[in-house]
Amino acid sequence: MTGYLIRRLGTAIIVVLGIILVTFLMLHIVAPSPAQTVLGPKATPAAISAWNHTNGFDRPWYSQFGTYLNNLLHGNLGWSYKLNQTVDSLFKEKAPLSGFLSLTSLVVAIAVALPLGIFQAVKRNSFGDVSATTLAFVFYSMPVFLVALLLIQVFALSLGWVDANVPQDQSLSGALAHFKDLILPIVALATTAVASYSRYQRSSSLDVLAQDYIKVARAKGLSERLVFSRHLVRNASLPMITLIGLSLPVLIGGNVLIEYAFNINGLGLMFVNALSNDDYNVLMAYTLITAILTVIGNLVADVCLTLSDPRIKLV
């Protein structure tokens, strides 16, 4: 296990470095310097040149990239020239709320999708299975942004049960004080995940139900409850571990659209504002965090799957 983890961590570091390099080059090509954003549209070429020289943006791209990596090694994510504060402080302010939305929606999605998928497999081709499958395909094909708009229209504007915009409190405790207004964002994030997870869970459960050990367990006279609890649930849920691990960056990406739709002051809305303001230190930091979460999600999923299923060999 130790050797496997070392190999995977080495591969993960290479992948993250590659993502950082590609993102840095793309942003460098699009916006070589934030001088125009900082100094304003009326800045003279001489002022822009002086600002670039002072801040090191007139150096070759590989020199700037080396400086950026050195700052990362020292825990420095850079400076937001538009917001005039460190990127580290921005993430510390906004990460708790975004993390709460992602993790809560993930827990809700798992709690709904796993029993739903097993129910569909056990009641295959029944009215409930067909109805759930139809809804799953509908929501799976819908962008999360559209789901958010529909929820806002129905529950906020038409019924008036909640507010369309959540309170603009950056702290998690402040947002939790108005938890009712966070329900729609959580439901919007969880809906598309439920549609995906339940389909995989149904397919996996059908495969398990067709295995010989299920037939043997039934032939021994075990009740259906014991067959399901001892043999079906655990074995059918193993493939979901990988899917859940891979879904971490998807949830983070969904946060961008959800926070924009509901005007939630989190990392997603910060990323959208950084795009419009050419605040590329914030863009780089967000991309870095997403890449790291993707790698961690894959690694944790593989390790958990290996520990759960002894038939899998580490390579």
Side-chain angles (χ1 to χ4, degrees):
M1 176 66 76
T2 303
Y4 172 76
L5 290 176
I6 293 175
R7 291 194 299 272
R8 286 301 305 271
L9 286 174
T11 304
I13 293 173
I14 295 174
V15 170
V16 171
L17 287 175
I19 294 174
I20 295 173
L21 176 60
V22 171
T23 306
F24 183 88
L25 290 176
M26 291 176 63
L27 291 175
H28 185 80
I29 292 173
V30 174
S33 165
Q36 196 75 50
T37 302
V38 176
L39 300 178
K42 296 182 179 181
T44 63
I48 292 177
S49 178
W51 191 92
N52 286 336
H53 180 73
T54 302
N55 293 276
F57 285 96
D58 57 344
R59 294 179 296 157
W61 69 267
Y62 50 84
S63 177
Q64 296 183 44
F65 183 68
T67 301
Y68 182 76
L69 287 181
N70 182 62
N71 290 335
L72 287 181
L73 292 176
H74 291 84
N76 181 10
L77 295 176
W79 183 266
S80 172
Y81 295 101
K82 189 66 178 180
L83 300 176
N84 199 30
Q85 66 180 107
T86 62
V87 178
D88 308 61
S89 62
L90 282 172
F91 273 75
K92 289 178 182 179
E93 290 174 4
K94 301 177 184 299
L97 181 55
S98 294
F100 174 79
L101 289 176
S102 296
L103 292 178
T104 305
S105 61
L106 179 62
V107 171
V108 171
I110 295 172
V112 174
L114 265 61
L116 178 61
I118 294 175
F119 166 79
Q120 289 182 256
V122 173
K123 301 295 184 180
R124 183 180 183 182
N125 295 328
S126 66
F127 176 78
D129 177 34
V130 174
S131 301
T133 300
T134 302
L135 290 175
F137 277 123
V138 170
F139 285 110
Y140 185 73
S141 62
M142 292 174 61
V144 65
F145 190 79
L146 179 58
V147 175
L149 292 180
L150 291 176
L151 291 175
I152 291 173
Q153 178 62 46
V154 174
F155 296 101
L157 301 181
S158 299
L159 299 177
W161 290 355
V162 294
D163 292 332
N165 293 328
V166 302
Q168 295 302 294
D169 197 323
Q170 294 185 4
S171 65
L172 178 58
S173 58
L176 290 179
H178 302 84
F179 180 76
K180 184 181 71 171
D181 296 325
L182 294 176
I183 294 178
L184 288 188
I186 293 173
V187 171
L189 274 173
T191 298
T192 52
V194 168
S196 174
Y197 294 169
S198 64
R199 296 299 302 152
Y200 278 93
Q201 184 65 36
R202 179 183 184 275
S203 177
S204 178
S205 299
L206 288 175
D207 290 339
V208 172
L209 288 173
Q211 299 299 315
D212 291 337
Y213 58 81
I214 295 292
K215 299 176 183 178
V216 171
R218 285 171 170 167
K220 289 181 178 179
L222 289 180
S223 64
E224 288 296 301
R225 182 180 62 83
L226 290 178
V227 171
F228 293 158
S229 61
R230 292 182 181 180
H231 301 286
L232 174 61
V233 175
R234 177 182 176 182
N235 293 303
S237 300
L238 289 177
M240 291 296 298
I241 296 176
T242 302
L243 183 63
I244 293 170
L246 294 175
S247 68
L248 289 179
V250 177
L251 287 173
I252 297 297
N255 265 9
V256 175
L257 301 176
I258 292 300
E259 290 181 12
Y260 181 75
F262 289 94
N263 197 29
I264 300 175
N265 201 357
L267 292 178
L269 188 59
M270 179 191 70
F271 179 78
V272 174
N273 293 332
L275 279 174
S276 60
N277 295 327
D278 294 330
D279 199 347
Y280 71 15
N281 279 334
V282 174
L283 298 177
M284 283 292 299
Y286 190 91
T287 304
L288 173 64
I289 297 300
T290 304
I292 292 175
L293 286 176
T294 303
V295 171
I296 292 176
N298 278 278
L299 181 60
V300 171
D302 289 346
V303 172
C304 291
L305 186 60
T306 302
L307 295 176
S308 302
D309 192 349
R311 297 172 297 178
I312 298 177
K313 296 182 179 181
L314 298 177
V315 293

